[in-house]
Amino acid sequence: MEGVEIFDSPGKGRGLRATKEFWAGDVIFTEQSISSVCFDGHAERICHSCFRRQDKLQRCGQCKFAHYCDRTCQRAGWAEHKQECGAIKAYGKTPNESVRLVARIMWRLDKEGSKVSDMQLTTLDELEDHLADMPEDELKDLKVDIHNFLDYWPRKSKQHTIDDVSHLFGVINCNGFTVSDQRGLQAVGVGLFPSLCLVNHDCWPNCTVILNHGKIELRALGKITEGEELTVAYVDYLNLSKERQRMLKLQYYFDCTCDHCKNRTKDDIKMGGREVDGVKPTEEQVKEASDFCFEMLGKMDAARLKGDYHEVVKICREAIKKAEPVLADTHIYLIRLWSMMSEVQAYLQYNDDAAEYSRKMVEGYLKIYPQNHAGLGMAAMRAGVNHWQAGEIEIGHGMVCKAYAILMVTHGPLHPITKDLEEMRMQTEMELRMFKENEFVYHSMREAALKNRPMTMLNEPKSVEDNIKNLFHRRK
């Protein structure tokens, strides 16, 4: 693999570093998974070969579990599904996603050996499993999975030791990477990418990882010099330093000592108060408003799970009314309120509210996130669509252009989201010219365009915590 090499990273163990210079948007390397499976909850809605979301899928006639877009996808996925299909039929039921993934990987390793590609930088045996670091409750779950695996694993297949099986479960637990649908908007499965496992964490990383047409891409977020370590963020920077450290220790078994954690960089503005004419609220006022927001976020999520979106709006309005005069526009609880409010109001088609709150969310993100951050780019795209739907074409076009510039770095020009965004950019640019030339004609044309809804963000709102994603999949 050109451009990278394995080295001993001080305090981190093995890592990857650049052997040449990279610039923002450069693809450092791509990697195909050894194997991947869809999540249990998406098994009937996602193609098990291409991970495309489809309304109507064809079910495997043998095991009745695997689903495919069509015969083409079924043939493409048969090499991996063949042994799985027989095992499910013999077992009489379908095991969970972790057991299925371990089995698929075992079958492939048995067939092709420890390195299935010349691009693979390490074998699975060399990866950390952190079994010795697991707490008792996780070890208990692991033992259940191993027991189920042994029942599921066909007697005719090559038999493996308990230690080998346990090691692979541990590796997946720490290093399984979430696989998204074809547009990259929702995690629908989990896969194992060995070379990616060597990239260490930094809260302010120089790389990002994107799934593009079935392969992961490690992309540079800015200039990377020769000899510099390549890093990605395992957890979202929107969390406070203490919370990031807690999550990393709990989920990945290491203590983060990056500069942003040691110096608690930006923690002050993430939990800060709003300054008005040089006057700041007291610490007690900020704490009271923060605690209230945290409580309301929990109530909002409960209402969202019930599908009661009008109740979500009611709770959110109450929280925002109390929080906005006290909390800074970079306060992470207030940003989460704006995020959920914009998403729910867009879903309910209250476009003016959706536009207002999405704009506030982006303005807060701009003061917290690095310049090229996928979360910032996606938020700007959402805000651009919301403003377009609200008839604010100038702001909408500006937001779409900002999103496009970021996603060209984080996702690249060939990613489905970037292609969608390019179409939005061209459409809003055309409409903006029309608006400046003749507002009456523009508004008449816009009404016709709205009936066709060429741009939409009417996905069902997710949990407020769904916006704070971890890089690697970990079963909770």
Side-chain angles (χ1 to χ4, degrees), residues 7-42:
F7 80 116
D8 289 325
S9 178
K12 296 181 180 181
R14 292 193 305 165
L16 291 185
R17 64 185 175 193
T19 58
K20 66 177 185 180
E21 194 171 74
F22 292 100
W23 294 86
D26 283 350
V27 177
I28 298 172
F29 69 77
T30 63
E31 184 178 16
Q32 187 82 42
S33 70
I34 282 187
S35 187
S36 55
V37 296
C38 64
F39 290 145
D40 298 336
H42 291 281

Side-chain angles (χ1 to χ4, degrees), residues 418-447:
T418 315
K419 289 182 177 180
D420 288 349
L421 202 51
E422 169 65 3
E423 291 183 10
M424 293 183 198
R425 188 182 67 83
M426 293 173 65
Q427 179 175 328
T428 54
E429 184 177 339
M430 176 193 69
E431 291 189 20
L432 182 58
R433 285 199 303 268
M434 187 183 300
F435 173 79
K436 290 180 177 180
E437 290 171 2
N438 190 317
E439 289 188 32
F440 176 78
V441 172
Y442 164 72
H443 285 294
S444 300
M445 296 281 288
R446 182 176 178 277
E447 288 301 316

Side-chain angles (χ1 to χ4, degrees), residues 405-419:
I406 295 172
L407 265 63
M408 280 291 286
V409 172
T410 61
H411 289 62
L414 301 179
H415 194 281
I417 293 180
T418 315
K419 289 182 177 180

Side-chain angles (χ1 to χ4, degrees), residues 16-250:
L16 291 185
R17 64 185 175 193
T19 58
K20 66 177 185 180
E21 194 171 74
F22 292 100
W23 294 86
D26 283 350
V27 177
I28 298 172
F29 69 77
T30 63
E31 184 178 16
Q32 187 82 42
S33 70
I34 282 187
S35 187
S36 55
V37 296
C38 64
F39 290 145
D40 298 336
H42 291 281
E44 296 181 0
R45 301 190 296 273
I46 297 294
C47 175
H48 290 212
S49 178
C50 71
F51 289 93
R52 185 179 296 273
R53 182 180 295 279
Q54 298 279 17
D55 292 331
K56 293 183 180 180
L57 294 168
Q58 297 178 11
R59 188 171 62 172
C60 173
Q62 298 295 315
C63 67
K64 311 296 184 185
F65 168 70
H67 289 71
Y68 301 98
C69 297
D70 48 32
R71 292 286 183 185
T72 301
C73 277
Q74 188 168 10
R75 284 193 294 269
W78 181 244
E80 273 203 289
H81 179 58
K82 181 179 180 180
Q83 289 169 293
E84 176 186 68
C85 185
I88 291 174
K89 284 194 297 179
Y91 190 46
K93 58 183 177 181
T94 305
N96 68 35
E97 61 213 31
S98 297
V99 173
R100 287 187 285 117
L101 182 55
V102 168
R104 281 193 166 206
I105 293 172
M106 284 286 196
W107 280 316
R108 185 163 187 191
L109 294 179
D110 288 347
K111 181 181 178 181
E112 301 180 34
S114 60
K115 279 197 174 184
V116 300
S117 167
D118 292 337
M119 301 292 286
Q120 190 177 319
L121 293 172
T122 183
T123 65
L124 299 193
D125 291 338
E126 296 171 314
L127 294 176
E128 290 283 348
D129 57 30
H130 290 288
L131 294 176
D133 300 314
M134 283 188 181
E136 190 60 37
D137 58 336
E138 286 192 29
L139 284 173
K140 198 173 187 180
D141 291 338
L142 177 70
K143 289 176 182 177
V144 172
D145 277 344
I146 292 172
H147 175 78
N148 291 335
F149 173 86
L150 294 174
D151 285 345
Y152 170 68
W153 187 251
R155 299 293 177 262
K156 293 181 180 179
S157 294
K158 179 182 176 181
Q159 299 303 300
H160 297 272
T161 66
I162 295 292
D163 287 345
D164 288 342
V165 175
S166 301
H167 172 73
L168 196 47
F169 270 106
V171 168
I172 289 171
N173 190 53
C174 300
N175 297 295
F177 183 76
T178 51
V179 177
S180 58
D181 59 15
Q182 74 274 17
R183 295 190 66 226
L185 294 176
Q186 184 180 15
V188 296
V190 57
L192 189 61
F193 301 81
S195 298
L196 176 62
C197 297
L198 295 171
V199 183
N200 286 318
H201 163 83
D202 194 286
C203 290
W204 198 266
N206 55 18
C207 299
T208 189
V209 183
I210 295 296
L211 189 78
N212 192 0
H213 296 96
K215 295 182 179 180
I216 62 100
E217 295 178 346
L218 186 71
R219 305 182 67 90
L221 293 175
K223 182 182 177 182
I224 298 175
T225 59
E226 183 179 347
E228 185 177 348
E229 180 170 11
L230 306 175
T231 57
V232 294
Y234 291 4
V235 296
D236 199 313
Y237 186 68
L238 203 62
N239 294 290
L240 296 173
S241 301
K242 188 175 181 180
E243 177 63 11
R244 294 197 308 273
Q245 289 177 311
R246 186 192 69 80
M247 293 166 67
L248 290 166
K249 184 67 172 178
L250 177 66

Side-chain angles (χ1 to χ4, degrees), residues 284-294 322-323 326-327:
E284 290 77 10
Q285 289 174 317
V286 172
K287 185 180 184 306
E288 181 185 352
S290 300
D291 291 345
F292 181 73
C293 285
F294 185 79
K322 184 168 183 175
V326 180
L327 303 182

